[in-house]
Amino acid sequence: MRTYRIATIPGDGIGVDVTEEAVRVLDAAAQGFRIEWTEFDWSCEQYLSTGAMMPSDGAVQLAEFDAILLGAVGFPGVPDHVSLWGLLIPLRRAFGLYVNLRPVRLLPGTESALSNRTADDLDMLIVRENSEGEYSEIGGTHNPGRPDEFVLQESVFTRVGCERIIRHAFERAGGRQKKVCSATKSNGLIHSMPYWDTVFDEIATEYPDIETRQMHVDALAAEIVLHPDRLDVIVGSNLFGDILSDLAAAVTGGLGLAPSGNINPEKTGPSMFEAVHGSAPDIAGKGIANPVAQILAGAMMLEHLGEHDTAAAIDTAVCEVLEKGETLTPDLGGSATTSELGSAIAQRAANR
């Protein structure tokens, strides 16, 4: 029997709650393979006790695993830039996870924030560059404490980085509606975005059957709200892809339903999968967090590992449970607990 070694990092807040349910569902759904789970307690709590989000050899410890299932990190008392740069971003770069894949769609039994929109209108794939761009450590604070104090924050756009993420978006579009929209801001960012546009145009010539658009990111944000049916695959830089994917998730039912993958397409290192939502410490441990996004992130992980049938079974189970509407968490209008919704999905996936 095939065995996959998967590392879990439940993290903080509801990350712990929803990761438990994702593990339950994946174990129940597994057929023809088994998962060997190893949990790591890296979190803001560890930071407060040790001064580090994870050990200095954290990436070395994780390198031997087939994939990583990450909960959520962030907790009051620990600045967001500390929690993010202490765990998530270093792992993305250590393992070459240059693709951040965020599918956003209107699931059965859920409602969009937009009126009169159906599932056919709301089905997008955000392909976000995940290793460079605006999320750079280059820069610093100068003349601290003086009246002329200032900061510099540099963006990094390499040809390799731009080419590979844009090409990945085109490859994904080939299996969908054959449409790619590039998020740019070349009218305001005089160097980085015109360069991004140039690379996008070059890559587009390799895919003559793919329909292309380039939109300024502010106009594209409006397009997601006003005309989501015109969009299929959206490719953007690290910052633009981050913002647009949260917006798209919000209009397709909420962040509690949106999974994501930090992916190394070449599989030279373990890819990492997580829900889009944060740690929501205000509801942590109350048993009311929606586990669907983390469960679907687990399904994305299995898809990446080649377990297509089981991934599809989990996706179907989620859709069937939501559409039935009998076991929904409060954010979906129900009164079920996190565990009750997770158990319902696990049972449906196991009985396929």
Side-chain angles (χ1 to χ4, degrees):
M1 181 177 288
R2 297 182 301 280
T3 299
Y4 298 103
R5 299 191 63 212
I6 306 298
T8 63
I9 309 174
D12 302 299
I14 65 169
V16 177
D17 306 336
V18 299
T19 299
E20 181 179 349
E21 298 310 314
V23 169
R24 182 206 304 268
V25 171
L26 267 63
D27 280 341
Q31 291 187 9
F33 66 94
R34 62 183 292 271
I35 299 174
E36 182 181 298
W37 302 96
T38 301
E39 182 175 310
F40 293 83
D41 63 351
W42 304 341
S43 62
C44 288
E45 183 177 355
Q46 172 152 313
Y47 173 82
L48 291 173
S49 63
T50 68
M53 291 291 296
M54 65 177 178
S56 58
D57 66 342
V60 175
Q61 292 186 46
L62 294 176
E64 62 185 88
F65 289 89
D66 297 304
I68 305 162
L69 185 64
L70 175 69
V73 292
F75 207 77
V78 179
D80 289 341
H81 70 278
V82 171
S83 58
L84 192 69
W85 282 91
L87 179 64
L88 181 59
I89 291 181
L91 293 180
R92 285 173 174 171
R93 297 181 178 185
F95 298 129
L97 310 181
Y98 63 86
V99 174
N100 189 272
L101 202 62
R102 296 189 172 186
V104 285
R105 57 189 171 128
L106 184 62
L107 295 171
T110 64
E111 295 184 0
S112 169
L114 307 178
S115 61
N116 302 317
R117 287 295 182 181
T118 68
D120 290 338
D121 300 326
L122 295 166
D123 185 356
M124 291 169 275
L125 182 66
I126 315 294
V127 180
R128 167 193 171 194
E129 203 289 315
N130 209 32
S131 61
E132 53 179 49
E134 303 88 350
Y135 289 16
S136 162
E137 292 183 274
I138 301 175
T141 301
H142 302 266
N143 305 332
R146 291 171 33 179
D148 58 345
E149 180 179 17
F150 68 97
V151 299
L152 289 176
Q153 177 71 61
E154 302 291 343
S155 296
V156 176
F157 287 79
T158 67
R159 173 163 286 277
V160 169
C162 293
E163 283 187 350
R164 66 188 181 184
I165 195 64
I166 292 171
R167 184 170 285 110
H168 190 86
F170 275 91
E171 291 292 331
R172 292 280 180 174
R176 291 174 55 92
Q177 299 177 35
K178 297 183 181 296
K179 296 191 296 184
V180 176
C181 182
S182 170
T184 184
K185 193 58 181 171
S186 52
N187 59 343
L189 300 176
I190 193 170
H191 300 300
S192 60
M193 284 295 104
Y195 183 74
W196 172 277
D197 294 346
T198 297
V199 176
F200 181 83
D201 287 338
E202 292 174 358
I203 300 299
T205 63
E206 302 175 16
Y207 300 87
D209 60 328
I210 304 293
E211 177 186 332
T212 63
R213 299 171 70 188
Q214 296 187 52
M215 297 186 69
H216 291 148
V217 66
D218 43 355
L220 181 50
E223 186 83 340
I224 289 173
V225 174
L226 298 175
H227 304 290
D229 53 298
R230 299 177 182 175
L231 298 166
D232 181 31
V233 175
I234 298 171
V235 62
S237 66
N238 213 328
L239 178 62
F240 291 172
D242 194 1
I243 295 170
L244 291 174
S245 58
D246 275 21
L247 173 62
V251 302
T252 54
L255 299 184
L257 301 170
S260 71
N262 303 275
I263 296 174
N264 175 331
E266 293 75 30
K267 299 185 178 181
T268 56
S271 291
M272 181 165 58
F273 299 83
E274 58 179 323
V276 170
H277 63 69
S279 60
D282 57 319
I283 63 170
K286 295 182 178 180
I288 60 174
N290 184 346
V292 166
Q294 190 74 339
I295 291 169
L296 291 177
M300 289 182 68
M301 181 178 72
L302 293 182
E303 180 72 26
H304 178 74
L305 293 172
E307 298 296 343
H308 308 295
D309 291 343
T310 302
I314 293 172
D315 188 275
T316 298
V318 167
C319 291
E320 289 177 349
V321 170
L322 294 180
E323 187 170 31
K324 192 173 184 180
E326 294 180 354
T327 314
L328 303 178
T329 45
D331 62 304
L332 298 175
S335 58
T337 65
T338 305
S339 179
E340 288 170 343
L341 179 50
S343 295
I345 295 170
Q347 183 176 4
R348 187 63 62 94
N351 294 333
R352 68 184 189 272

